[in-house]
Each structure stands twice: as C-alpha cells, then as structure tokens.
C-alpha cells in the first residue's frame, strides 16, 4: 500500500478519486437514511468530527480528503494511517459531493454506527441522561446531544419516532459529541422511562405546563440524585402518556416576557441545573461546602 510524504496510507488506485469513483459513490449513498441503516455506517464531515471519530477506536472505516486538506491536517491523516484506516485522496468535486455543507473543510470520514443497547448504557450507572422523545429536527437533536455531553451526561437516548442520530445535520450539530456519549436508540419511550426508573434514575419530563418549577426543585435539592430528562419536540412537546410516566413534570421558569424557550435552550437550562446539583459537594448537616450552617 503506497504512502504519502506524511506517512498516511493511500488507496492503491492512482490519482485522486472523482465523484464517479465507486468508493465515493458508495460513501455518498450514506447521506440517505435507508443506506445508513442497511450498512450500519454514516458520514462525519470536517476536521473536528474526524478528530473525535478517530479518537474512538474502531469507529472510522475510511477517510476521504482533498490533497490540500490532508496536508493541512497531516496529524489526522497520520493518526488514521496508524489505525490502518484507508486514506483516500479525492478531488474538490468529489469532496463536495460527499459533504452536505456549502463550504466543506476538505475531510469526510466513513464511520460505523455507535449504537449502545439501553441495558448496556444503564449498566454503566450514568448519573445524567437525556432522552430525545419523538424529536425530529436534526439540528435541535444534535445541539441537545452536544449540550448533554458538555453537562456530563453519560447517555443520550433517541426514543420513539426520533430523528436518526447519524443524519448529517445532526452529526454536525453535535460538534463531535456524538462520539463521546453512549448513543441509544429505543422504539418505545414509555418503556424507556420505566427502564430508567428501574435503574435508579429520577425521571423528569419537561413541559411548559409542568406542576413543578425547575428552580424550586433545585432549591429543594431534588436534582442531586441521578436524573433522566425527557425532552419532546418544539412543535408537539412530549406525548401525554410519557409525561404521565415521569416522576415529575417540570417547567422552566420564565422571568421576562418571552412566551417560551426553544428546545435546545430549555434542555441546556435543565441539564446544567442537574450538572450543578450533581457536582456540588455535600457539607455538614446537608449544607453544601462553603455555606454556613447558620
């Protein structure tokens, strides 16, 4: 197998691949959900996503890049070569066909699906979990996944008729976080809630009409236990049977005149409220460290 000057492994076919090269054609099909499901593979675009994918051993199947991008990101090409991942040079036109952005950054990786079974994810004892129930907007889903990762969540569950987590827009919106947390896909949201509770997590449903106020829960110390947050779509919210299955129905307080928060903002507020509570050390007689007992 020939090598480039930077030590990356190059495909044996001479010259950069074009949009009609069979390997490029096959990879481009992964932009469609049915092909992702059939092959168990998806595309990760851009150096940040490629870097995070390569850091997760066994994830990347092939790396495509323009000669300029492979030179610019020689560290990633070398890392792929060390992992025995084929590095295929492509023309600008071929890269544009593989990418779904207006101004692609020259790298696209073919990756294996990352699905973790629900029972396996819960067996790891996550203290914070985000459930995306029936959320179909890939940008929102990817942003919530990124936020959940930043807040320290151990798992993100795509439940019911939710968007495909390997949708290109969702992958890009996650900014690499897709490769950091356990990604679970589950068919039945109510069964997910039951499994979460059985694993010892408090299940909280977010709704603008909740009978519990987020600030009140935080002040009462009720967010200090392992928690799973249920988030629904902006258009329809959570299904009624799912809110009924939760331990509490929680609203985010609105102190100004805004009618509501969008999904990603509400998820960030809830997840970080939990993250803060879970990381606050307990002091004497139940007071947090640094606080006076009276």
């Amino acid at each position: 197998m020939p090598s480039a000057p930077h030590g990356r492994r190059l495909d044996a076919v001479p010259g950069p691949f074009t949009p009609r090269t069979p390997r490029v054609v096959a990879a481009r099909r992964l932009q469609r959900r049915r092909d992702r499901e059939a092959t168990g593979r998806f595309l990760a675009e851009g150096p940040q996503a490629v870097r995070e994918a390569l850091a997760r051993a066994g994830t990347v199947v092939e790396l495509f890049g323009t000669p300029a991008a492979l030179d610019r990101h020689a560290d990633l090409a070398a890392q792929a070569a060390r992992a025995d991942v084929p590095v295929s040079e492509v023309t600008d036109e071929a890269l544009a066909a593989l990418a779904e952005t207006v101004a692609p950054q020259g790298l696209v990786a073919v990756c294996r699906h990352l699905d973790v079974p629900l029972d396996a994810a819960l067996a790891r004892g996550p203290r914070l979990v985000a459930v995306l129930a029936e959320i179909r907007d890939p940008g929102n889903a990817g942003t919530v996944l990124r936020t959940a990762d930043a807040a320290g969540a151990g798992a993100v569950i795509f439940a019911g008729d939710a968007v495909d987590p390997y949708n290109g827009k969702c992958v890009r919106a996650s900014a690499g976080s897709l490769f950091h947390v356990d990604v679970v896909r589950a068919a039945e949201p109510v069964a997910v809630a039951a499994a979460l509770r059985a694993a010892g997590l408090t299940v909280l449903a977010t709704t603008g009409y909740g009978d519990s106020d987020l600030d009140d829960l935080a002040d009462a110390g009720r967010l200090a236990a392992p928690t799973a947050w249920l988030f629904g779509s902006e258009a329809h919210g959570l299904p009624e049977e799912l809110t009924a299955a939760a331990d509490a129905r929680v609203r985010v307080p609105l102190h100004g005149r805004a009618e509501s928060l969008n999904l990603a903002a509400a998820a960030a507020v809830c997840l970080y409220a939990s993250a803060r509570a879970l990381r606050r050390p307990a002091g004497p007689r139940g007071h947090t460290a640094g606080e006076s007992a009276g």
Side-chain angles (χ1 to χ4, degrees):
M1 185 67 66
S3 296
H6 296 293
R8 62 182 180 262
R9 171 185 164 185
L10 293 177
D11 193 274
V13 178
F17 289 176
T18 72
R20 295 188 178 184
T21 302
R23 294 254 286 278
V24 174
V25 172
R28 188 179 183 185
R29 292 195 185 105
L30 299 177
Q31 294 172 354
R32 300 181 299 207
R33 182 167 187 166
R34 66 175 180 270
D35 288 283
R36 294 194 295 270
E37 295 292 347
T39 62
R41 297 181 178 185
F42 68 101
L43 299 178
E45 178 183 339
Q48 173 64 18
V50 169
R51 188 180 310 278
E52 302 306 322
L54 286 169
R56 186 161 173 162
T59 297
V60 179
V61 176
E62 183 168 10
L63 177 61
F64 294 101
T66 63
L70 290 173
D71 286 339
R72 187 165 57 250
H73 302 288
D75 59 325
L76 297 181
Q79 186 177 348
R82 288 194 297 271
D84 202 29
V85 171
V87 178
S88 300
E89 289 189 347
V90 297
T91 63
D92 289 342
E93 293 76 15
L95 195 286
L98 290 169
E100 295 181 90
T101 54
V102 175
Q105 296 176 279
L107 296 178
V108 174
V110 178
C111 302
R112 294 184 176 88
H113 279 187
L114 307 167
D115 293 1
V116 175
L118 178 60
D119 56 352
L122 295 180
R124 295 186 177 123
R127 302 184 71 209
L128 185 59
V129 173
V131 180
L132 309 185
E134 314 283 350
I135 293 176
R136 300 180 187 179
D137 181 87
N140 269 336
T143 301
V144 174
L145 197 161
R146 179 181 183 179
T147 302
D149 176 29
V156 176
I157 302 171
F158 289 71
D161 190 18
V163 66
D164 176 13
Y166 307 113
N167 172 287
K169 187 174 182 180
C170 185
V171 174
R172 292 192 300 277
S174 80
S177 289
L178 177 72
F179 303 102
H180 299 164
V181 301
D182 284 345
V183 175
V184 178
R185 291 195 282 179
E188 180 47 62
V190 174
V192 168
L196 290 164
R197 187 179 294 106
L201 288 95
T202 300
V203 179
L204 301 178
T206 56
T207 169
Y209 306 99
D211 45 20
S212 297
D213 181 284
L214 178 66
D215 286 349
D216 292 342
L217 290 180
D219 291 344
R222 292 179 60 190
L223 298 182
T227 299
W229 283 97
L230 308 179
F231 302 111
S233 71
E234 286 191 21
H236 306 292
L238 289 167
E240 186 174 336
E241 64 273 15
L242 188 55
T243 59
D247 293 302
R249 286 142 293 283
V250 184
R251 67 183 182 277
V252 175
L254 300 175
H255 304 299
R257 298 175 61 186
E259 179 187 7
S260 62
L261 293 174
N262 67 21
L263 168 62
V269 171
C270 294
L271 289 165
Y272 266 90
S274 282
R276 182 170 185 264
L278 288 167
R279 283 159 177 75
R280 178 178 291 173
R285 292 184 295 217
H287 291 269
T288 57
E291 289 181 339
S292 169

